[in-house]
């Protein structure tokens, strides 16, 4: 039977094995901030590369972009973020600690299962105030809290030596705005025609109030967004929307290898939807703390391009090459978080093998941080070490490979299982005689002998995918 890991189990494994560390831990850490260690960096890179490969490199209708984190501050005025990018904040009246109202209500409801059932997603600030009042919800310290108020989560900073209104800039709250502000440049400098998408992967920043969900919600995180522009007179938005839903589902299930039973769609209520969106659905994953958004899909109409057109005084129109009609295109936006993919993969791959008393991260081999580990059976026998080095040098140019000569073979298997390495290759005394190695499969623990000359082909066949990037 599949066991669901707790968030504590995942956090502990991630730290123990070098996937994720608390940021600045030697100084006591920093709220909602994490660094990715050697294994985490590899896994993140694989996720990014595979997303880019599927969504950009392989598609004739999507081009890439890499815009700045600091954009002209008017960008965020035009987009509505300065005005409306807020979370509902309450404050403990005694300790003055701050909490996100919807999250406070959710955890109160979890701790009070006999209370009336409430669908918290989609409540507006007035509903939350009434609910807090009616149910007598208090802070985790047991104190009364203030009524919720809107708290803007854009991060402010300043350019140059002089602080002040003119120098104020924002760390981007979404990668999307860099796409909208480059729309005209891309139209003028490339050969794109509608419908087409502009994709970008990069860091975004939000002054999040809630803490304690590991890398699910952090102050600094990586987004992978596409703005897919189209002519609403030629294409129905509903058709594109459904097409993107299928693409997103397929990517998570087939490309990332995530179990379908852990996924669901959730439609935003009218009150919950962002100010720019006409329709939004979330692809949710069943994280250890419940179903939560992994990947959002929104129909942003032509709100953003119109806003920038107005604020910048520059036309952001497309000219139909056949009819000459000029118009501001509409957009469908699939917006994912690379760090949420990462956490989902750790949770979904986690497996405790009761028979063999081992913990395994059963990543799809193409995503695993290391595809292969090479061991000399004994590290103090020069001839084994030399031969194992030869095998390492043969495999490592073709795939991410690690070397391990610490402890005995059993301990090495145990460690490689925990970091999700799909194939362990052992060079033993038979290797010196017949030029074959033992290849051990992470999931079945089965071992086969493979000729060194056929090893790379064998592993590539089992991994089943070669990354283009
Ligand atoms: N451009 C639309 C947009 O930014 P969003 O739903 O706010 O929409 C898109 O964010 C994705 O970014 C989310 O689905 C999530 O995966 C990721 N994300 C948002 N806030 C995050 C945070 N604080 N930490 C980690 N990932 C986050």
């Amino acid at each position: 039977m599949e066991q669901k890991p707790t968030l504590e189990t995942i956090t502990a494994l991630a730290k123990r094995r070098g996937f994720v560390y608390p940021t600045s831990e030697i100084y006591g850490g920093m709220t909602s901030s994490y660094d990715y260690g050697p294994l985490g960096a590899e896994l993140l890179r694989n996720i990014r590369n595979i997303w880019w490969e599927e969504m950009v490199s392989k598609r004739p209708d999507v081009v890439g972009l890499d815009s700045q984190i600091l954009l002209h501050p008017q960008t965020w005025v035009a987009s509505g973020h300065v005005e409306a990018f807020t979370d509902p904040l309450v404050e403990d009246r005694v300790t003055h600690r701050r909490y996100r109202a919807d999250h406070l209500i959710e955890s109160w409801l979890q701790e009070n299962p006999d209370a009336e059932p409430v669908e918290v997603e989609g409540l507006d600030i007035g509903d939350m105030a009434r609910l807090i009042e009616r149910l007598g919800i208090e802070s985790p310290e047991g104190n009364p809290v203030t009524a919720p108020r809107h708290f803007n989560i854009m991060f402010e900073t300043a350019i140059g030596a002089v602080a002040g209104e003119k120098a104020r800039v924002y760390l981007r709250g979404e990668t999307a705005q860099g796409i909208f502000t480059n729309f005209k440049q891309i139209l003028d400098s490339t050969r794109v025609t509608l419908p087409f998408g502009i994709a970008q992967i990069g860091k975004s920043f939000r002054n999040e109030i809630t803490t304690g969900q590991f890398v699910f919600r952090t102050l600094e995180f990586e987004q992978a967004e596409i703005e897919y522009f189209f002519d609403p007179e030629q294409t129905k938005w509903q058709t594109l929307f459904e097409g993107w839903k299928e693409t997103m589902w397929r990517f998570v299930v087939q490309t990332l290898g995530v179990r379908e039973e852990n996924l669901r769609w959730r439609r935003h209520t009218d009150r919950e939807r962002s100010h720019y969106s006409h329709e939004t659905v979330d692809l949710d994953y069943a994280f250890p703390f419940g179903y939560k958004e992994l990947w959002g899909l929104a129909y942003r109409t032509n709100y953003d391009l119109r806003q920038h057109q107005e604020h910048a005084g520059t036309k952001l129109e497309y000219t139909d090459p056949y009819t000459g009609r000029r118009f501001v295109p509409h957009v469908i936006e699939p917006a994912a978080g690379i760090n949420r993919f990462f956490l989902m993969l750790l949770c979904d791959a986690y497996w405790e093998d009761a028979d063999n008393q081992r913990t395994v991260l059963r990543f799809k081999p193409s995503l695993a941080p290391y595809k292969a580990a090479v061991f000399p059976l004994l590290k103090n026998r020069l001839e084994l070490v030399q031969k194992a080095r030869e095998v390492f040098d043969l495999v490592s140019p073709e795939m991410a490979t690690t070397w391990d000569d610490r402890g005995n073979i059993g301990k090495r298997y145990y460690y490689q299982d925990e970091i999700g390495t799909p194939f362990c290759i052992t060079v033993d005394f038979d290797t010196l005689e017949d030029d074959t190695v033992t290849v051990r499969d992470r999931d079945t623990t089965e071992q086969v002998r493979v000729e060194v000359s056929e090893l790379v082909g064998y592993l590539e066949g089992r991994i089943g995918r070669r990354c283009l990037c």
Side-chain angles (χ1 to χ4, degrees):
M1 205 184 84
E2 298 290 347
Q3 318 94 315
K4 287 231 175 203
T6 63
L7 190 61
E8 290 69 34
T9 305
I10 293 295
T11 310
L13 170 65
K15 187 171 183 208
R16 186 167 73 247
R17 293 308 185 201
F19 284 89
V20 182
Y21 311 125
T23 293
S24 309
E25 198 181 23
I26 58 167
Y27 291 104
M30 246 179 70
T31 186
S32 298
S33 303
Y34 294 91
D35 294 337
Y36 291 78
L39 276 293
E42 293 288 340
L43 181 55
L44 275 182
R45 207 167 56 88
N46 292 342
I47 298 169
R48 263 184 229 122
N49 286 349
I50 285 181
W51 185 90
W52 192 268
E53 194 181 301
E54 290 292 313
M55 301 294 161
V56 187
S57 311
K58 284 187 181 172
R59 292 187 62 130
D61 58 343
V62 179
V63 293
L65 176 75
D66 198 332
S67 76
Q68 295 281 284
I69 286 169
L70 300 176
L71 304 177
H72 192 289
Q74 275 305 308
T75 306
W76 304 105
V77 177
S79 68
H81 283 75
V82 170
E83 174 73 25
F85 200 43
T86 58
D87 276 344
L89 174 120
V90 291
E91 197 171 304
D92 180 312
R93 287 188 187 277
V94 179
T95 65
H96 302 292
R97 286 214 180 97
R98 293 164 156 202
Y99 300 96
R100 216 174 111 168
D102 49 342
H103 295 173
L104 187 71
I105 296 170
E106 269 176 358
S107 50
W108 188 90
L109 289 169
Q110 269 165 17
E111 282 161 24
N112 295 275
D114 297 335
E116 64 183 88
V118 180
E119 190 56 63
V120 180
E121 308 248 25
L123 294 182
D124 69 17
I125 208 162
D127 298 330
M128 289 185 222
R130 284 186 286 279
L131 206 61
I132 289 171
E133 176 86 26
R134 185 153 51 81
L135 299 177
I137 295 176
E138 294 178 322
S139 73
E141 291 88 18
N143 300 316
V145 293
T146 58
R149 68 178 169 85
H150 292 294
F151 172 75
N152 193 293
I153 58 173
M154 290 295 288
F155 260 107
E156 274 180 36
T157 185
I159 291 182
V162 189
E165 207 46 45
K166 278 198 180 140
R168 181 197 294 164
V169 288
Y170 301 93
L171 303 184
R172 67 181 172 202
E174 59 172 4
T175 55
Q177 293 307 322
I179 297 180
F180 293 122
T181 52
N182 278 292
F183 173 75
K184 185 170 158 35
Q185 258 92 307
I186 290 178
L187 270 192
D188 292 348
S189 60
T190 72
R191 303 189 57 80
V192 289
T193 51
L194 287 183
F196 72 90
I198 304 176
Q200 156 148 258
I201 294 183
K203 288 278 176 106
S204 290
F205 301 80
R206 294 182 190 175
N207 206 351
E208 299 279 5
I209 307 158
T210 293
T211 57
Q213 289 174 317
F214 194 36
V215 297
F216 177 81
R217 193 181 304 281
T218 48
L219 303 180
E220 177 180 337
F221 55 97
E222 209 169 354
Q223 290 188 308
E225 300 199 287
I226 300 174
E227 303 305 324
Y228 198 80
F229 298 94
F230 66 99
D231 175 356
E233 289 192 12
Q234 299 286 329
T235 320
K236 281 175 86 172
W237 72 263
Q238 292 91 339
T239 312
L240 285 177
F241 206 78
E242 285 308 311
W244 275 107
K245 278 176 77 175
E246 279 168 30
T247 303
M248 289 159 65
W249 189 273
R250 207 172 39 243
F251 180 80
V252 176
V253 173
Q254 288 175 15
T255 309
L256 300 184
V258 168
R259 284 169 282 165
E260 282 191 292
E261 66 264 28
N262 289 332
L263 296 168
R264 71 165 193 198
W265 288 106
R266 190 183 72 81
R267 184 168 181 249
H268 282 211
T269 63
D270 290 349
R271 283 181 303 183
E272 172 190 14
R273 245 190 339 264
S274 301
H275 60 278
Y276 51 69
S277 179
H278 179 73
E279 172 75 348
T280 302
V281 291
D282 287 343
L283 179 53
D284 286 353
Y285 177 76
F287 289 100
F289 37 85
Y291 272 104
K292 293 281 168 199
E293 176 185 350
L294 174 74
W295 199 341
L297 180 66
Y299 171 32
R300 290 177 83 130
T301 67
N302 59 0
Y303 170 86
D304 299 88
L305 287 184
R306 274 192 293 106
Q307 286 293 107
H308 288 304
Q309 193 168 257
E310 199 179 297
H311 283 252
T314 306
K315 287 251 178 278
L316 297 176
E317 292 177 338
Y318 177 84
T319 307
D320 187 302
Y322 302 106
T323 64
R325 183 170 63 91
R326 293 166 70 88
F327 60 96
V328 181
H330 283 222
V331 80
I332 302 277
E333 178 197 64
I338 296 287
N339 314 81
R340 289 195 187 171
F341 283 154
F342 177 97
L343 180 58
M344 168 184 70
L345 288 175
L346 284 185
C347 298
D348 217 70
Y350 185 91
W351 182 56
E352 283 175 14
D353 180 350
D355 296 339
N356 294 307
Q357 297 192 336
R358 62 193 187 116
T359 299
V360 188
L361 286 181
R362 296 199 293 187
F363 296 126
K364 239 186 139 179
S366 50
L367 284 164
Y370 299 124
K371 314 296 182 247
V374 177
F375 315 151
L377 180 66
L378 300 170
K379 77 168 184 183
N380 51 5
R381 293 293 293 262
L382 189 61
E383 64 276 37
L384 290 178
V385 174
Q386 271 175 345
K387 183 67 189 172
R389 280 280 169 212
E390 271 176 37
V391 172
F392 181 89
D393 290 345
L394 184 77
V395 178
S396 62
E398 308 302 326
M399 62 195 73
T401 310
T402 184
W403 170 268
D404 197 352
D405 60 9
R406 288 175 56 176
N408 60 35
I409 290 284
K411 285 197 177 127
R412 294 179 202 165
Y413 284 157
Y414 187 86
Y415 173 82
Q416 296 299 334
D417 286 344
E418 267 205 338
I419 64 170
T421 309
F423 302 105
C424 290
I425 300 157
T426 304
V427 169
D428 55 21
F429 290 104
D430 287 344
T431 314
L432 304 178
E433 300 294 321
D434 61 9
D435 216 32
T436 64
V437 287
T438 300
V439 179
R440 183 248 194 195
D441 181 294
R442 175 196 68 195
D443 299 341
T444 62
T445 71
E446 275 169 21
Q447 301 187 10
V448 290
R449 291 299 286 190
V450 178
E451 285 189 24
V452 170
S453 60
E454 290 174 2
L455 184 59
V456 169
Y458 172 83
L459 294 171
E460 282 179 344
R462 298 289 309 277
I463 294 164
R465 179 192 180 102
R466 206 179 158 80
C467 200
L468 300 174
C469 23

